[in-house]
Amino acid sequence: MDISQVESITRMVMEAINQAQSQPQPKGFLVPVGVSARHVHLTQEHVEVLFGKGYQLTKKKDLMGGQFASNEQVTIVGLKLRAIENVRILGPVRKQTQVEISATDARTLGIKAPIRESGNVAGSAPIALVGPKGALYLKEGCIIAMRHIHMSPRDAEAAGLKNGDVVSVKADNERGTIFNHVVIRVNPSFTLEMHIDTDEANAAGIKQGDTVTIMK
């Protein structure tokens, strides 16, 4: 191989490198999506009202952060006696009972549920719950969960984010949806996942396990 051939090959390699570097590079931080269906969190007191004294929730499936989907379900009832049956209870029990639904569910039930972070139920919508052994009425406690991303501290560091940050997220599919006002939640027990409800997933053409990109 003579010098001219070496120079020619070198030019070709350099051109290929330069072309690759000139191509748009992917930006952002990829996150898998979990689609959250309507569900209920209960105090132990309310578990016993609905299922009987001394009753304990039984585990159906483990979830992140030490939570689990229980085998138990209830019926939720709106102010106009409109109901949705077979709503899953998530355990373990909490200090405050909370019902999380979608905007479509709220219309079905005839209630005005606010969009809130989990745990922020002050002044939220009233709702009734019916179980096999009893019923209870909540003056507040029903919300539409604010879209959010669960992260471990390592994930948060890699993404350059911290607990409580609010970001925008892009779903790069046929719908091309951008979600604003997405809250970051960081905890060592969390697995990386964005949670949206069924309304949001259907509107954006997203299914369980799809990935989206954080756009700071």
Side-chain angles (χ1 to χ4, degrees), residues 34-50:
V35 181
S36 297
R38 64 183 77 98
H39 59 272
V40 176
H41 300 280
L42 293 173
T43 64
Q44 180 58 35
E45 177 187 357
H46 288 166
V47 168
E48 295 187 24
V49 169
L50 297 170

Side-chain angles (χ1 to χ4, degrees), residues 120-137:
N120 180 11
V121 298
S124 59
I127 196 162
L129 287 76
V130 180
K133 297 294 185 179
L136 63 91
Y137 172 74

Side-chain angles (χ1 to χ4, degrees), residues 13-204:
V13 172
M14 293 303 297
E15 288 174 0
I17 292 173
N18 291 335
Q19 183 176 5
Q21 291 178 340
S22 67
Q23 296 297 316
Q25 298 299 309
K27 296 181 179 180
F29 190 84
L30 290 177
V31 180
V33 177
V35 181
S36 297
R38 64 183 77 98
H39 59 272
V40 176
H41 300 280
L42 293 173
T43 64
Q44 180 58 35
E45 177 187 357
H46 288 166
V47 168
E48 295 187 24
V49 169
L50 297 170
F51 294 92
K53 188 169 181 60
Y55 192 90
Q56 300 291 319
L57 296 176
T58 59
K59 186 183 298 184
K60 177 181 176 67
K61 179 182 178 181
D62 284 315
L63 304 174
M64 75 167 67
Q67 294 192 96
F68 61 87
S70 75
N71 291 298
E72 289 74 26
Q73 298 174 310
V74 294
T75 296
I76 57 176
V77 185
L79 296 179
K80 298 181 180 179
L81 298 183
R82 299 173 184 172
I84 298 177
E85 299 179 333
N86 303 319
V87 180
R88 184 76 56 190
I89 299 170
L90 301 190
V93 294
R94 290 192 175 186
K95 295 180 180 179
Q96 193 172 30
T97 291
Q98 175 177 293
V99 179
E100 297 182 33
I101 62 174
S102 69
T104 297
D105 292 337
R107 286 192 289 272
T108 298
L109 294 167
I111 61 177
K112 295 181 179 180
I115 299 173
R116 297 280 185 83
E117 286 192 63
S118 180
N120 180 11
V121 298
S124 59
I127 196 162
L129 287 76
V130 180
K133 297 294 185 179
L136 63 91
Y137 172 74
L138 302 176
K139 293 182 178 180
E140 59 185 20
C142 186
I143 65 170
I144 298 170
M146 181 179 291
R147 57 182 77 110
H148 57 277
I149 296 174
H150 290 284
M151 287 184 161
S152 68
R154 176 179 291 184
D155 292 326
E157 182 179 2
L161 297 167
K162 63 183 185 300
N163 188 61
D165 281 349
V166 178
V167 298
S168 293
V169 173
K170 181 180 181 181
D172 193 13
N173 57 15
E174 292 179 351
R175 295 277 184 165
T177 306
I178 293 178
F179 295 98
N180 295 318
H181 312 302
V182 183
V183 178
I184 301 297
R185 295 182 184 170
V186 181
N187 189 286
S189 66
F190 286 165
T191 301
L192 182 64
E193 193 170 65
M194 176 177 175
H195 284 180
I196 56 177
D197 66 29
T198 51
D199 281 0
E200 294 170 314
N202 291 337

